[in-house]
Amino acid sequence: MLTVLLLPVALGFANPPGPAPVPTTVTIVYDAFGGGPGLVRDWGFAALIEYQGKRILFDTGNNADLFAQNVRRLDIDLKQLDLVVVSHRHGDHTAGLNVVLQENPNVPVYAPREGFGLFGASVPGTFYRTVPGLPDSMRYFAGIVPERITSESVWPAAHIILVDSSVTIAPGIRLVSLVSETPGTRELRELSLVLSTPTGDIIVVGCSHPGIEQILNARGAGDVPIRALFGGLHLLAAPDSVLDPLVQRLRYQWRIVQVAPGHCTGEPAFAALRREYGDDYLYAGLGRRLVVE
């Protein structure tokens, strides 16, 4: 019996290895640097991510017409999108969503849940103080407090899925949800995208308003390495005294293998990251298609 069990191995009929991992590609659809024939630079961010057979659009740029032009020039078929992630409510990340929905009206759109905002939501009817002694004509809803007060979405027909906590939305695809505590964007909710690959996580961020290290910490992946980091790090005005230690931590504490910064990362941060990362700095200007294996 033992000989029979071993015979297929001896004859070279052992189980063949599984299929090779499919590389992840990231195409920069919208940004203010880079470019090429027919592409228009503008402030904002959008990227098309092809991951394990799925096509994910992350953010939609600052101007619908320019977004549409760049999409056409890059030969991107919006009808083939599997899902859209909008990182946060700012116009330089949301303006092209109308273009997407015209082409693909039923595509799931993941967006941050906020009490009132572009994507709709609701708050408890008890969020305001009441004065029962006022006449009904001066009281909200004539004094009958509703259970919840709902705000409509700017895109009422869209399939919008509101996210207020970190969640896995498909195998290997996770959204990290955080609220900014940074002055100027305090209480702003932001989603970041984490993709699991055999060589580590790929992280895509919109603006990192909550702080890039807070996002990295919140991914909750234990010892899983960070294969690559894409997107905006919001370091536009950061002094060197902040930038240089942060870059060192990204490289040696967080052990990020490759960085592909864009959008609001800032020119000084571009320079500092390129100095530190060398060949592991991935230039991610408008029109670039980057492959992570």
Side-chain angles (χ1 to χ4, degrees):
M1 180 63 71
L2 182 61
T3 303
V4 173
L5 289 173
L6 292 177
L7 183 58
V9 177
L11 294 177
F13 294 118
N15 291 331
V22 178
T24 299
T25 66
V26 180
T27 302
I28 308 302
V29 180
Y30 208 104
D31 213 322
F33 69 104
L39 296 174
V40 182
R41 292 184 292 270
D42 186 36
W43 190 262
F45 188 66
L48 176 69
I49 301 147
E50 296 168 88
Y51 169 79
Q52 300 297 317
K54 292 190 178 297
R55 294 165 62 85
I56 305 166
L57 181 66
F58 187 92
D59 286 340
T60 65
N62 186 53
N63 178 286
D65 292 338
L66 299 184
F67 172 79
Q69 179 171 334
N70 288 348
V71 164
R72 288 193 299 270
R73 178 64 185 86
L74 293 168
D75 198 25
I76 295 170
D77 185 357
L78 297 176
K79 294 183 178 68
Q80 299 302 313
L81 293 177
D82 293 288
L83 61 101
V84 177
V85 177
V86 177
S87 63
H88 61 293
R89 66 176 183 250
H90 286 166
D92 55 339
H93 297 257
T94 60
L97 189 53
N98 281 334
V99 176
V100 176
L101 294 174
Q102 287 169 6
E103 295 292 320
N104 194 340
N106 297 317
V107 66
V109 179
Y110 291 86
R113 180 187 298 276
E114 302 189 72
F116 287 98
L118 293 175
F119 304 103
S122 64
V123 294
T126 54
F127 85 95
Y128 60 87
R129 292 177 59 204
T130 63
V131 181
L134 284 174
D136 287 352
S137 62
M138 295 179 64
R139 301 193 65 197
Y140 299 127
F141 305 103
I144 302 172
V145 179
E147 183 176 346
R148 300 197 69 82
I149 298 174
T150 301
S151 63
E152 288 295 328
S153 167
V154 176
W155 302 276
H159 181 197
I160 294 175
I161 303 165
L162 298 177
V163 177
D164 59 7
S165 60
S166 297
V167 61
T168 298
I169 60 173
I173 303 175
R174 182 170 175 79
L175 296 177
V176 171
S177 173
L178 285 177
V179 181
S180 174
E181 297 181 359
T182 305
T185 59
R186 198 178 303 278
E187 297 186 358
L188 177 71
R189 294 178 179 269
E190 185 164 340
L191 301 180
S192 303
L193 178 66
V194 180
L195 305 172
S196 176
T197 80
T199 57
D201 286 346
I202 297 172
I203 301 176
V204 186
V205 292
C207 270
S208 304
H209 288 297
I212 185 57
E213 291 184 282
Q214 286 75 11
I215 293 170
L216 297 177
N217 187 60
R219 74 186 175 111
D223 295 329
V224 176
I226 302 172
R227 177 65 181 81
L229 172 63
F230 287 82
L233 306 184
H234 214 268
L235 299 169
L236 291 161
D240 291 344
S241 60
V242 171
L243 280 180
D244 293 340
L246 174 60
V247 168
Q248 292 294 306
R249 291 195 300 274
L250 294 178
R251 179 74 153 169
Y252 299 106
Q253 177 181 327
W254 294 103
R255 299 183 181 276
I256 300 174
V257 177
Q258 291 183 307
V259 292
H263 184 41
C264 60
T265 300
E267 294 178 11
F270 290 158
L273 287 163
R274 187 176 64 174
R275 283 195 303 271
E276 177 59 45
Y277 272 83
D279 290 342
D280 287 324
Y281 179 94
L282 306 178
Y283 174 72
L286 173 61
R288 293 284 291 198
R289 184 175 186 268
L290 301 163
V291 180
V292 181
E293 297 181 343

